[in-house]
Amino acid sequence: MRVKCISVVGFGLSFCSFVILVHRTFGDVSYSFPEEMKSGSVVGNVAKDLGLDVKALFARKARVDAEGKRKRYCNINQNTGELIVAERIDREALCGKKPSCVITQELVLENPLELHKVILNIEDVNDNSPRFETDVIGIEIAESTSKGAIFLLDEAVDADIGKNSVQLYSLQTNAHFALNIQSNMDGGKYSELVLQKELDREKQQKVTFVLTAIDGGTPPRSGSVVIDVTVLDANDNAPVFSQSVYKVSLPENSPVGTVVITVSASDADEGQNGKVTYALGHVSERVDELFSLDGDNGKIAVKGSIDFEEDTSFELKILATDGSGLKSYCKVVIDITDVNDNAPVIVLKSLKSPLPENAQPGTQVGIINVQDRDSENNQQVHCSIQQNIPFQFVLSIKNYYSLEVAGELDREVVPDYNITITATDEGSPPLSSSKTIYLSIADVNDNAPAFQEHIYSAHVKENNKPGSAVCTVAATDPDWRQNGTVVYSLFPSDVNGAPVTSFLSINGDTGVIHAVRSFDYEQFKSFKVLVLARDNGSPPLRSNVTVSVFIMDENDNSPQILYPSPDGNSFMTEMVPKTLQAGSLVSKVIAVDADCGQNAWLSYHILKATDQGLFTIGVHSGEIKMQRDLSESDNMKQNLVVSVRDNGQPSLSATCIMYLIISDNLAEVPELKDMSHDESNTRLTFYLVVALVSVSTFFLVFIIIIMAVRFCRKRKPRLMFDGAVTIPSTYLPPNYADVEGTGTLHSNFNYDAYLTAGSRTSDFKFVTSYNEETLPADVTMNKSQTPISDFVGLRNATNDVQRLSDSAVFTHFTFLSYIPVLAFRHKDAG
Ligand SMILES: *[C@@H]1O[C@H](CO)[C@@H](O)[C@H](O)[C@H]1NC(C)=O
Ligand SMILES: *[C@@H]1O[C@H](CO)[C@@H](O)[C@H](O)[C@H]1NC(C)=O
Ligand SMILES: *[C@@H]1O[C@H](CO)[C@@H](O)[C@H](O)[C@H]1NC(C)=O
């Protein structure tokens, strides 16, 4: 078993597509080895011959593929890079009589894609002996036949080819015949018998000798046949062909029945002896299948389908026999001409699909092989793909094309391509075929979420319910699946010194922003938060948008009267000179409203006056003016009850009393004197003083108690109660002050009702009370150190004290502030 590598042709082909240099390592390697090798025999080291890295073969899925629909005859050993025989190869079965038996296989490697042709040249082994079709060849020869006459002998067949086919004939030595060896068009040998010495039937009726065919193998093999010559006693002529060789060309695919040629032989004899019949000499099976011979007239016609791609020429031997059995022969050579009857065949060898959308121009996507079985121009193929797609078709090697990226890909614009490859040959008429390749584009996270608006603004009414939706942001991301899934969050920042999460929360899936607390317009009118959107790719892409929250005013503040002092101090009185004319300004009620707009648009009205019609008040200015001139009869003391009302819905109001004394001289003011002269007034004043003194005493006592309690508590500084007092007021909703007074939270702060629980990515916090959220960290720690029972007990006690003291203070001041009112009423009534 001798294995030799005849040639290794390596192409390190560099394709220069203008700017980008792409190196490809396509190469051919060819091996010659004899047929009949055992499977597993090593043919050669293909990895070494192609310069491939043996270690990478496994990873690159090196494999041998057969071209087209052929069988796979060899394999690659991925560990050693050796090419091994996959199954026994019988050259005769594979290639028949073809002078060379070449099988093309392909070595395919992936990552990057590489394709090499492996050409296997199967060498013949002399495993067949020459063989004649019959054991005996009978020939009849007239005794009158002259010296030099030639008789065709049947050809010996040897399935082997070349040197291993029949090379030599030898004739057993005899007195009459010599041997003439001839060559066929295909190189095969046949023999003719040449008459050297005339025959004489009277001397010898039969001549018998042996013909041996020998092949050229080492060692040679042979086969033999007995030739039996019968000498005829007649005096006639053998048929003579008009040409010894007929040459004709026939287009392939000629229809059955087409007459190829008519051979004719003439015989000088008359009657039965001159009647010539024709027959095919020894022919191959193939010829027998394709051609028929009319024995009577020598017409050769097409019998089967003639394919140039199978056979390009035929040689037929025609025997002409006359009535007395005399024979002669001629050769007919039929050349088949090619017709463009095969459309190009497009074979997709590999395809990288799906292709990532960020594939750079020049990236190889697939390899396509185009074959045309015709010859010459009919075989020249041009390939193209449709226009307007970002791909190009590049001829790589012989009939291999590579499909390459030629432009920008964007899955968000075109998610897949149907690439149609058209191959046309140069025949006339040309034939073409096409193939459509489906290529899908894979997503890459190349788009950040984009908010639908550049800026969002939300308008919220103050005193809103915590948990109510404020606004919804939406961002879109055109990427695929998780690369396009948007998750929202709030950018951690401070609003008025408190973390943004104590104001707003966002549902990560839906982008709905909720208020966490109740807002107070009087505390702040607007704030801004940054909302982030990111996708779920890795790494994720982000974008952000500003949400401005505007808090809208509600009429939740009553007007506040600055002048006259609302606690109704009767000592604050206005002097009205007696000389004042009608229309002159007397005084002015000054009030403010913490709300804004209509809610703070104040109007002033006199509810009650000592003397109706003496004074008027400007509805919006609050200016009190004289309505008429003063007269002597007018009461010296004039009191006005003024109500200040805002324009909200519903409107809120406040009331004050304006004390006026009509006098030019402060000394004349008889106020207190008047009061003490009045019997009932004196009595009332007395009661009031008693009440005032007792309440004040009561109050002072409680102040002392509170001081005492607080002093005791200071010695236990870890207590929660202290912490609660230190809560910064900006953290708290308006009602929060309650916590000091009663020690319990208002029912408004029970948030369970509006939580968006169950949301996967929501950062909405489950707020149970403001305590947890807003207490400073150290306070929370203190709380955990204090036993609950201690804490509750003490808190209750201190709260009770606190409540009592508070109500005392309240009562005290209420009482004080009512004294002038009561006095006024009393006086009025009097
Ligand atoms: C490609 O062909 C497939 C199936 O034939 C079809 O579903 C798809 O829409 C086509 N794509 C394009 C971009 O034409
Ligand atoms: C998302 O993008 C990455 C690259 O950025 C890619 O590897 C991944 O396959 C993409 N995911 C999907 C579902 O397409
Ligand atoms: C918000 O987006 C801008 C521009 O896209 C970027 O410069 C900035 O860093 C982003 N801010 C945050 C907090 O991510």
Side-chain angles (χ1 to χ4, degrees):
M1 188 189 301
R2 191 169 50 90
V3 180
K4 62 181 177 180
C5 172
I6 42 173
S7 67
V8 176
V9 194
F11 297 87
L13 291 183
S14 314
F15 284 85
C16 182
S17 35
F18 301 107
V19 191
I20 311 150
L21 263 177
V22 186
H23 290 275
R24 283 158 212 285
T25 49
F26 284 93
D28 286 2
V29 61
S30 106
Y31 296 98
S32 290
F33 59 97
E35 60 174 330
E36 308 287 344
M37 275 172 64
K38 275 201 212 108
S39 80
S41 312
V42 176
V43 173
N45 193 317
V46 68
K48 215 171 88 189
D49 296 337
L50 287 170
L52 300 172
D53 181 8
V54 174
K55 285 175 216 133
L57 290 179
F58 181 76
R60 293 182 66 189
K61 295 184 189 158
R63 60 177 190 271
V64 174
D65 268 356
E67 207 174 43
K69 288 177 188 135
R70 291 264 185 75
K71 243 179 165 174
R72 194 152 50 90
Y73 289 102
C74 54
N75 273 332
I76 185 165
N77 180 333
Q78 289 183 333
N79 297 323
T80 60
E82 282 168 338
L83 194 69
I84 52 178
V85 175
E87 65 171 67
R88 191 186 75 95
I89 302 171
D90 182 7
R91 197 208 60 82
E92 283 76 36
L94 204 62
C95 304
K97 273 301 207 182
K98 281 190 197 143
S100 75
C101 188
V102 172
I103 311 170
T104 310
Q105 310 260 281
E106 283 166 353
L107 176 65
V108 183
L109 293 111
E110 295 181 5
N111 302 319
L113 211 60
E114 231 177 86
L115 199 127
H116 300 275
K117 262 194 183 177
V118 178
I119 297 161
L120 305 177
N121 205 338
I122 311 299
E123 291 172 345
D124 188 39
V125 164
N126 192 19
D127 51 353
N128 291 284
S129 299
R131 191 171 49 79
F132 287 96
E133 233 160 52
T134 51
D135 293 340
V136 180
I137 300 172
I139 304 173
E140 291 174 330
I141 301 173
E143 58 180 336
S144 59
T145 307
S146 51
K147 229 167 78 175
I150 293 170
F151 303 92
L152 176 69
L153 291 175
D154 277 356
E155 194 181 333
V157 184
D158 189 324
D160 297 322
I161 53 151
K163 261 181 66 199
N164 294 333
S165 65
V166 175
Q167 296 294 312
L168 208 65
Y169 289 92
S170 81
L171 195 63
Q172 189 186 0
T173 318
N174 66 86
H176 295 279
F177 296 97
L179 201 62
N180 211 359
I181 300 173
Q182 297 280 12
S183 288
N184 274 331
M185 218 169 56
D186 60 9
K189 297 278 192 329
Y190 67 97
S191 56
E192 294 165 335
L193 212 51
V194 184
L195 188 61
Q196 283 196 317
K197 185 176 168 243
E198 276 112 353
L199 296 162
D200 187 353
R201 202 188 80 89
E202 282 67 40
K203 276 195 197 155
Q204 198 176 10
Q205 282 197 358
K206 267 188 186 282
V207 186
T208 305
F209 43 87
V210 175
L211 173 69
T212 308
I214 304 152
D215 68 22
T218 31
R221 289 167 170 254
S222 64
S224 51
V225 68
V226 174
I227 298 174
D228 198 355
V229 179
T230 310
V231 184
L232 296 177
D233 181 23
N235 216 2
D236 53 8
N237 299 289
V240 179
F241 276 99
S242 59
Q243 280 173 264
S244 61
V245 177
Y246 294 86
K247 279 202 170 181
V248 67
S249 61
L250 176 72
E252 64 172 326
N253 303 336
S254 293
V256 171
T258 306
V259 176
V260 180
I261 196 169
T262 306
V263 294
S264 81
S266 55
D267 193 297
D269 293 326
E270 287 189 354
Q272 205 56 33
N273 282 352
K275 170 125 176 69
V276 179
T277 56
Y278 303 92
L280 285 172
H282 167 76
V283 287
S284 64
E285 266 178 40
R286 186 98 185 105
V287 170
D288 209 34
E289 274 170 22
L290 297 178
F291 298 102
S292 65
L293 174 69
D294 188 325
D296 292 333
N297 56 22
K299 256 187 204 166
I300 298 172
V302 175
K303 194 166 88 176
S305 85
I306 308 220
D307 188 357
F308 175 83
E309 286 70 43
E310 295 279 325
D311 311 275
T312 55
S313 70
F314 296 96
E315 189 176 277
L316 285 70
K317 291 189 195 82
I318 313 290
L319 286 172
T321 312
D322 68 10
S324 53
L326 290 178
K327 289 180 172 144
S328 63
Y329 85 98
C330 74
K331 273 203 256 184
V332 175
V333 176
I334 304 171
D335 283 319
I336 308 296
T337 53
D338 186 37
V339 165
N340 191 22
D341 59 344
N342 287 285
V345 177
I346 301 168
V347 183
L348 182 63
K349 285 290 177 185
S350 73
L351 182 66
K352 214 185 279 171
S353 176
L355 180 72
E357 60 179 322
N358 60 356
Q360 290 303 304
T363 306
Q364 192 174 64
V365 180
I367 289 186
I368 289 107
N369 178 235
V370 180
Q371 294 157 2
D372 192 310
R373 295 180 62 226
D374 293 322
S375 65
E376 308 202 337
N377 277 354
N378 295 339
Q379 195 183 24
Q380 295 301 312
V381 180
H382 298 282
C383 275
S384 61
I385 53 173
Q386 80 261 40
Q387 300 293 308
N388 307 326
I389 55 168
F391 295 97
Q392 63 181 4
F393 218 43
V394 180
L395 180 63
S396 300
I397 173 174
K398 283 185 222 161
N399 295 323
Y400 287 92
Y401 293 82
S402 74
L403 184 64
E404 292 181 353
V405 178
E408 291 276 309
L409 302 176
D410 190 354
R411 190 203 65 83
E412 287 74 40
V413 178
V414 187
D416 54 9
Y417 290 93
N418 288 326
I419 301 170
T420 304
I421 298 167
T422 311
T424 310
D425 63 25
E426 284 183 358
S428 72
L431 292 177
S432 67
S433 57
S434 63
K435 187 182 183 78
T436 299
I437 299 172
Y438 177 75
L439 180 68
S440 72
I441 306 297
D443 187 41
V444 165
N445 192 18
D446 55 355
N447 288 285
F451 282 97
Q452 281 164 4
E453 320 260 331
H454 288 303
I455 187 158
Y456 286 86
S457 42
H459 297 267
V460 197
K461 276 200 172 159
E462 63 174 330
N463 306 325
N464 57 306
K465 252 182 82 179
S468 55
V470 169
C471 94
T472 303
V473 295
T476 51
D477 187 328
D479 287 324
W480 184 243
R481 298 259 163 90
Q482 70 258 36
N483 290 341
T485 307
V486 179
V487 179
Y488 304 94
S489 60
L490 291 176
F491 180 72
S493 61
D494 279 4
V495 174
N496 279 11
V500 67
T501 46
S502 65
F503 291 87
L504 295 176
S505 74
I506 189 163
N507 183 317
D509 294 336
T510 61
V512 177
I513 299 175
H514 297 270
V516 168
R517 62 194 288 179
S518 191
F519 298 121
D520 184 3
Y521 176 84
E522 285 71 39
Q523 231 170 54
F524 44 82
K525 296 177 174 48
S526 70
F527 58 93
K528 284 184 178 176
V529 292
L530 201 60
V531 175
L532 305 181
R534 66 165 171 81
D535 58 28
N536 261 339
S538 81
L541 296 176
R542 294 186 167 80
S543 62
N544 60 57
V545 77
T546 303
V547 177
S548 305
V549 179
F550 298 100
I551 294 155
M552 290 185 301
D553 187 41
E554 265 194 344
N555 194 21
D556 58 347
N557 289 282
S558 336
Q560 239 182 325
I561 297 166
L562 302 180
Y563 182 86
S565 166
D567 55 13
N569 189 344
S570 65
F571 298 104
M572 285 183 68
T573 50
E574 288 281 343
M575 297 284 286
V576 182
K578 283 180 182 151
T579 51
L580 269 192
Q581 305 277 304
S584 36
L585 182 67
V586 175
S587 182
K588 184 176 161 80
V589 176
I590 302 169
V592 290
D593 193 308
D595 295 322
C596 83
Q598 292 284 337
N599 296 337
W601 199 39
L602 302 178
S603 57
Y604 302 84
H605 307 275
I606 295 173
L607 287 186
K608 203 170 180 191
T610 312
D611 186 351
Q612 303 279 354
L614 184 55
F615 301 102
T616 62
I617 190 158
V619 174
H620 295 301
S621 63
E623 284 170 356
I624 296 170
K625 291 179 177 169
M626 301 291 297
Q627 203 167 7
R628 57 171 170 81
D629 293 343
L630 281 168
S631 68
E632 279 304 320
S633 58
D634 286 328
N635 199 333
M636 192 181 184
K637 287 199 297 181
Q638 295 283 342
N639 295 341
L640 301 176
V641 179
V642 175
S643 121
V644 183
R645 205 176 300 145
D646 63 23
N647 204 26
Q649 287 290 338
S651 76
L652 296 173
S653 63
T655 319
C656 66
I657 303 167
M658 176 77 82
Y659 299 98
L660 302 169
I661 289 177
I662 303 172
S663 168
D664 291 328
N665 186 356
L666 198 61
E668 302 177 16
V669 178
E671 190 183 353
L672 285 172
K673 227 188 300 172
D674 275 6
M675 270 189 208
S676 60
H677 286 317
D678 193 313
E679 262 306 292
S680 54
N681 259 7
T682 317
R683 225 165 344 141
L684 179 66
T685 311
F686 172 75
Y687 292 145
L688 288 175
V689 169
V690 170
L692 179 63
V693 168
S694 53
V695 165
S696 298
T697 316
F698 191 62
F699 173 67
L700 268 173
V701 168
F702 268 90
I703 290 289
I704 290 162
I705 291 171
I706 286 164
M707 297 291 270
V709 169
R710 291 216 172 164
F711 180 71
C712 290
R713 221 184 48 229
K714 276 222 167 93
R715 296 199 343 222
K716 292 181 190 171
R718 285 176 293 129
L719 284 188
M720 171 65 195
F721 196 75
D722 262 353
V725 179
T726 64
I727 297 166
S729 64
T730 48
Y731 279 59
L732 305 177
N735 316 26
Y736 190 74
D738 249 11
V739 86
E740 248 197 292
T742 60
T744 52
L745 281 170
H746 195 279
S747 62
N748 275 2
F749 298 98
N750 198 351
Y751 295 147
D752 304 23
Y754 53 80
L755 281 180
T756 55
S759 167
R760 182 168 50 80
T761 50
S762 173
D763 63 357
F764 194 99
K765 299 235 169 60
F766 196 94
V767 186
T768 50
S769 84
Y770 274 116
N771 261 350
E772 316 255 320
E773 276 290 86
T774 55
L775 285 180
D778 55 336
V779 173
T780 315
M781 275 176 64
N782 284 346
K783 180 182 169 184
S784 63
Q785 286 164 4
T786 313
I788 299 286
S789 54
D790 265 23
F791 167 66
V792 171
L794 193 76
R795 196 178 62 170
N796 285 343
T798 47
N799 283 347
D800 286 343
V801 172
Q802 183 79 21
R803 206 157 43 222
L804 274 172
S805 64
D806 283 352
S807 53
V809 171
F810 177 75
T811 318
H812 182 71
F813 286 114
T814 313
F815 189 76
L816 286 181
S817 60
Y818 266 83
I819 289 171
V821 180
L822 289 173
F824 174 76
R825 284 212 179 132
H826 179 77
K827 180 86 191 287
D828 223 29

